[in-house]
Amino acid sequence: MFRTAVRNVFAHKARLLMTLLAVLLGVAFVSGTLVFTDTIGTAYKNQATTSYAGTAVGITSYPDPDGSGGDGHQRDLGVSAATVQHIAALPGVATATGRVDGFAGVADAKGKLIGNGWSNEGANFAPGKDGKDPRYAFVSGTGPTRAGQIAVDQDTARKGGFHVGSTARVATNGPVRTYTVTGVFTTDDGSVSAGGSLVLFDTASAQSLYLAPGHFKDVTVTAKPGASQTTLLNEIAPLLPKNSSAVAQTGQQLADQQSRDIEEQFSSLSTMLLAFAGIALFVGVFLIANTFTMLVAQRSRELALMRALGASRRQITRSVLTEALVVGVAASAGGFVAGVGIAVALRSAMTSFGAKVPGGPLVVAPSTVVVAFAVGVLITVLAAWLPARRAAKIPPVAAMSSADLPAPTKSLVLRNSFGGLLTAVGVALVLIGGAKGGTNGRWTVGGGAAVLLTGVIVLTPLLSQPVIAGVRPLLARVFGVSGNLAARNARRNPRRTAATASALAIGLSLVTGMTVLGLSLGRTIDKTTVDNVSADYMVQMANGMPLDGSVAKEIAKVPGVTDATAMQHADFTLDGHFTAVTAADPGGLTRTVRIDTVTGSRSALSQGKVLVADKVAKDHGWKVGDTVQADYPDGTHAEVTVGGTYGDNLALSDVVMPQSMLAPHVTKPEIQVVLVKTANGASAATSQAITDALGDNPAISVMDQQGIRDKFGGMINDMLSILYGLLGMSLVIAVLGVVNTLAMSVFERRREIGMLRAVGLDRRKVKGMIRLEAVVISLFGAATGIVLGLFVAWATGESISGSLPGYAMVLPWTRIAVFLALAALVGLLAAAWPARRAGRMDILESIKTE
């Protein structure tokens, strides 16, 4: 039986090609994900181990130089230079090097920021006795030694055209300054690897910019030969200031912690990619099952003869499963090789997008090989199990009759009953989850969606009959005989039609659901940000850090600017509840932000009262006129009066107060954005004037209304683009399924097609019949998926509406029409080869086919 199974594989290799490709693509996605994450994760771990190789003890602190997050009594300034000197004097210490860092953005020749903003950093150059800093390898020049000098990383130097002796404009959290470049270096620093930049200042300048003179954020300690890391740690810990957040760890502990962090980060990426690989494989199951079902049907006479000659049911089942095993092994081998190629391509893509990936070998773990082959083989064998069982049930008497035996009615009755039950349970779970809301509600919706999708897939043979019957008159009227025959052929084998349509339904249900959610979230953010901001411009740091207090003052001097409202942020407790607060000038705020009051009045701000988000006020039981205790950041306490409540507005925090109320309680204002109102509206000239007033600072973004919209909605659009790309794999497999179904359908209907040709149906109409059959099946699957996606997206939206005020579902009719058009195009493209094959059949040869 094994030889028979292998012979059948080679005899039907063309028919099994699509199945092999489906499994190959799924396995390639799985193995590529595992190899990629293992390779990148190992490279970063090795980099972390190397960076801590000479570190005996590392001291890390989280300083609060402004006192805005402290207890009002002590300022955490990290580790003082005196403490570093005491550490360096310990017997087992070879060196103790202080480090300080923060944001630094370098402008290119056009004044634009080099790097991505969030990973643009500045640090201090800390040379040892030999004049070198072991963290940086200089390719030209030397490190900075005094104020006004900097060194830049090699990538930044290349992008900005910098060399030793040239000048560079650098922005920190203050005004832009011009520095002289003294050197260019290479480094494995994470900021550069992430696509940012690194600027080195002399230590005194870096301390003044980022912390305070004579203080460091981190300290790196190296040991003398023979000194123990643990012993040094025990000696250093007591020297750290009691009022500091500084924590000492051994170099090994730091390396281990960084390795765990890297593993956790790549674990999330791996899980996401594997989830999409699972979707692709799930779609492939239908193609595999469809293929083996049709192969069994076509070989029913052959299998019946084997039964008549003495083969048992078990042997027949094993024969079909062996065929699946051979296909699974071959597809897994090809998929694994393709997966390694995908991993290499992904690594190259990261580099092309600006992320520097540490060097290192390609990591192919034995577990990856096992998983790739196990997944491919198991998926193929499991998908072929039901067709194998049907093959075993073919009676020997079938050897005396025609080949294709219809599935018994009982099997569809049982299938429909089971599918109806699953669908009902899935609908109930989705509705319950949508009504419940919150995290638990979303998980319930997700579980219900999976059950519902499975139920609808099981029910698809039943659903296909009335739907296709309903469109048959239209097809007959528009396309004549070809349309009528296409509808009949699509209804002829409901199992086959269902399996083919289900693959498209799965992909399009996910695409539709994510599209609706993405667009709905984008519209909600628009309504609660852009629609609530009446300012012409929003000014903020490119890295998201606070703006300097001078920014609003400089913008206010620009001709045509009527308001430059600094939006200050703070976090402290009100009535015992930790609360986010926005503080601003009352007049400027009401002119640049649309505040829809629910109770009270906006004028309460100018009276020294606060406004509270309506939902927050209801949660805490606050009403207009109530007084609540404020525990300010500096540790002082005072009572504030609620002057009004306002509706949904993401441009504001939960509480809004006059800037004059908060100012006495913070050392340095944390200004997140400055909202700018002009007399004549936004214009290119005004935008340039604001940019010029800020010293053409590359680290500051000046956004008009469209820029604000792009900023808040861009992340959602980027996410949708990535998801569309990942889901494209499942749609490719679905297309293969349509091609496979039509090719086998044409093969088994050769005699019928020959008879149609003999009675006058020309080649063009035969091709049209096959194409229309493909379009009907594709559109049925697409429509099913779109309806499911809309339903699940609605329920998911209901579950998040409580935590996202103003959420409303958006129905993207244009995109839905595009999805349907693409489904029809998929059908036409998939039918190209089968239709051509049908049209070229020899009439006499086809009629002679048994």
Side-chain angles (χ1 to χ4, degrees), residues 279 282-283 286 419 422-423 426-427 430 446-460 502-510 784-785 788-789 792:
I279 293 170
F282 185 53
V283 173
F286 294 95
L422 284 177
T423 301
V427 169
V430 170
V451 175
L452 174 60
L453 183 60
T454 305
V456 170
I457 289 169
V458 175
L459 274 181
T460 306
S502 294
L504 279 169
I506 294 169
L508 279 173
S509 65
L510 294 167
T784 303
L788 281 173
V792 174

Side-chain angles (χ1 to χ4, degrees), residues 803-820:
S803 57
L804 187 62
Y807 177 87
M809 183 175 174
V810 175
L811 292 176
W813 296 114
T814 302
R815 296 201 187 193
I816 289 174
V818 170
F819 294 159
L820 289 171

Side-chain angles (χ1 to χ4, degrees), residues 182-535:
T182 63
V184 177
F185 58 89
T186 59
T187 178
D188 58 3
D189 188 275
S191 59
V192 178
S193 299
S197 62
L198 180 61
V199 177
L200 297 182
F201 302 92
D202 65 285
T203 296
S205 297
Q207 289 174 330
S208 298
L209 285 170
Y210 300 125
L211 195 52
H215 288 81
F216 297 99
K217 178 183 175 184
D218 304 318
V219 180
T220 302
V221 179
T222 61
K224 292 179 178 178
S228 165
Q229 290 189 0
T230 304
T231 301
L232 284 179
L233 177 65
N234 294 333
E235 293 176 348
I236 291 171
L239 299 179
L240 300 180
K242 298 297 184 292
N243 64 314
S244 171
S245 61
V247 176
Q249 293 175 283
T250 65
Q252 186 61 51
Q253 289 173 332
L254 289 169
D256 292 343
Q257 180 60 51
Q258 191 165 46
S259 294
R260 286 192 295 270
D261 292 342
I262 291 170
E263 187 174 344
E264 185 176 339
Q265 292 171 4
F266 280 96
S267 175
S268 301
L269 173 64
S270 178
T271 300
M272 183 187 72
L273 293 175
L274 287 175
F276 285 98
I279 293 170
L281 287 168
F282 185 53
V283 173
V285 166
F286 294 95
L287 191 157
I288 299 164
N290 212 11
T291 300
F292 279 95
T293 297
M294 289 185 282
L295 285 175
V296 167
Q298 291 171 12
R299 288 164 44 205
S300 57
R301 176 176 289 185
E302 172 192 330
L303 295 172
L305 281 171
M306 293 174 66
R307 289 292 312 283
L309 292 173
S312 66
R313 286 189 174 187
R314 182 174 296 178
Q315 286 178 308
I316 296 295
T317 302
R318 281 204 302 261
S319 174
V320 176
L321 291 179
T322 301
E323 292 180 44
L325 178 66
V326 172
V327 172
V329 170
S332 298
F336 177 74
V337 174
V340 173
I342 289 174
V344 173
L346 286 173
R347 183 171 178 172
S348 300
M350 285 185 67
T351 303
S352 65
F353 282 120
K356 289 187 65 178
V357 180
L362 197 67
V363 178
V364 182
S367 59
T368 299
V369 180
V370 173
V371 168
F373 277 85
V375 166
V377 172
L378 284 175
I379 288 292
T380 310
V381 171
L382 288 175
W385 181 68
L386 282 178
R389 284 193 63 196
R390 292 195 195 104
K393 292 179 180 180
I394 296 176
V397 72
M400 309 298 295
S401 61
S402 281
D404 197 358
L405 295 176
T409 305
K410 178 183 177 183
S411 65
L412 280 179
V413 171
L414 289 174
R415 173 173 177 157
N416 293 337
S417 301
F418 181 61
L421 177 63
L422 284 177
T423 301
V425 171
V427 169
L429 288 173
V430 170
L431 292 175
I432 291 170
K436 183 187 297 184
T439 303
N440 291 334
R442 288 190 284 275
W443 278 108
T444 304
V445 170
V451 175
L452 174 60
L453 183 60
T454 305
V456 170
I457 289 169
V458 175
L459 274 181
T460 306
L462 176 65
L463 297 174
S464 66
Q465 295 297 297
V467 173
I468 296 176
V471 300
R472 179 183 164 192
L474 176 64
L475 290 173
R477 187 161 52 250
V478 176
F479 299 101
V481 175
S482 296
N484 189 24
L485 290 172
R488 285 178 175 271
N489 291 334
R491 290 186 64 198
R492 176 182 297 181
N493 192 327
R495 290 178 181 274
R496 179 188 303 164
T497 298
T500 306
S502 294
L504 279 169
I506 294 169
L508 279 173
S509 65
L510 294 167
V511 169
T512 302
M514 291 176 178
T515 298
V516 171
L517 280 173
L519 293 178
S520 299
L521 288 170
R523 179 57 191 143
T524 301
I525 292 173
D526 262 8
K527 286 195 301 183
T528 51
T529 52
V530 179
D531 292 357
N532 283 325
V533 175
S534 54

